[in-house]
Amino acid sequence: MMRRLLDRFDRAFFAEAPAERLAILRLLVGGFALVYLCVRAVHLQRVGHLPPGSFRPIGVVSVLSAPLPLWAVRALIGGAIAAGAAFVAGYRFRVTGPLFSALLLWVLTYRNSWGMVFHTENLLVLHVIALSLGAAADAFSLDARAARRAGVAPPAPDGRYGWPIRLFCAITVTSYFIAGVTKLRNSGLDWALSDILRNYVAYDNVRKIALGDTHSPLGGALVRYRFLFPPLALCSLAMELGAPLALFSRRIAVVFCGAAWLFHLGVLLTMAILFPYPLLGIAFAGFFELEKLRDLRRPRRAGPASRTGARERLSQAREPL
């Protein structure tokens, strides 16, 4: 029984996938990570000006006992951006892929070691790590172009292109499942049967108003209607706890992706909290056959048989009744 289960898992996890699908995933995720680093570069290096006493190392940064000098912080951010550009371009990916994932992990963790932890970045970093471990630059990359010039045949669908995508999807559903389990551990079924969500939305907006931060007028208006929040809380909990089912069915995966996207849209509208990575759909891209996007842009050419049939229909239309 165990051997059959392992064989089934092996066939599913290492199922064949085209190199183009994994490459498009690399472009989407790597492109977002690169833009994110560039946009937040100034903010990321500002921690070098904070008092050393505010430094509370977490994660991989726990190896440090004192903050890094400002020049080192800036050098690491610059190195991460350079490695990110190579990641997106697919240039010497076997080196630059893991290098970018390591630098991205360090730079963002270092920032989070100075106060508020931005958990919105966790899924992005894990996805970059997953893609960096696979052959994500065998298509649509500088490495692929160099291979073609060297006479190497285009890669055929293979399991080595499938497992990074499966890992990508497994990381996604696990992150949502953990969120659901955390809700149950902290609040039990009261999360879906009481005013916990309503109170949280109200508290978040009142706190932001008091601090002069951006808040959601819609969330403030909706908290007057108590009956709205238990169904919303129940739907979010069902989406999170049922997320692993998306790994076993394409239809369920589509439902999960749509429900998760609506969840983040609701968070934005009611609490003014932006999760750009999932709202842009990139966090769910691994569940879809991305290589088919190329075919949508190509005009379909009619074959000889179809052109002959069209001419016959046209001639019949011209004949008198």
Side-chain angles (χ1 to χ4, degrees), residues 152-236:
V152 178
D158 194 271
R160 64 194 176 112
Y161 304 124
W163 74 259
I165 300 175
R166 305 295 188 282
L167 180 59
F168 180 100
C169 295
I171 291 171
T172 302
V173 300
T174 301
S175 68
Y176 285 92
F177 181 75
I178 291 175
V181 171
T182 302
K183 289 183 176 66
L184 288 180
R185 290 185 62 183
N186 292 338
S187 308
L189 290 178
D190 285 343
W191 169 261
L193 303 177
S194 68
D195 286 339
I196 292 178
L197 177 60
R198 175 171 171 254
N199 292 339
Y200 188 80
V201 171
Y203 165 78
D204 183 78
N205 282 290
V206 169
R207 179 182 61 85
K208 289 175 178 175
I209 292 173
L211 296 175
D213 199 359
T214 303
H215 69 285
S216 168
L218 178 62
L222 290 179
V223 294
R224 302 173 185 175
Y225 305 98
R226 182 176 182 178
F227 69 92
L228 290 175
F229 289 89
L232 292 175
L234 181 61
C235 289
S236 68

Side-chain angles (χ1 to χ4, degrees), residues 19-30 136 139-140 285 289-294:
E20 292 81 5
R21 186 183 306 173
L22 182 58
I24 295 174
L25 201 57
R26 182 199 86 242
L27 292 171
L28 290 174
V29 177
F140 304 140
E289 297 176 344
L290 300 174
E291 70 280 5
K292 291 186 176 180
L293 295 175
R294 238 180 2 168

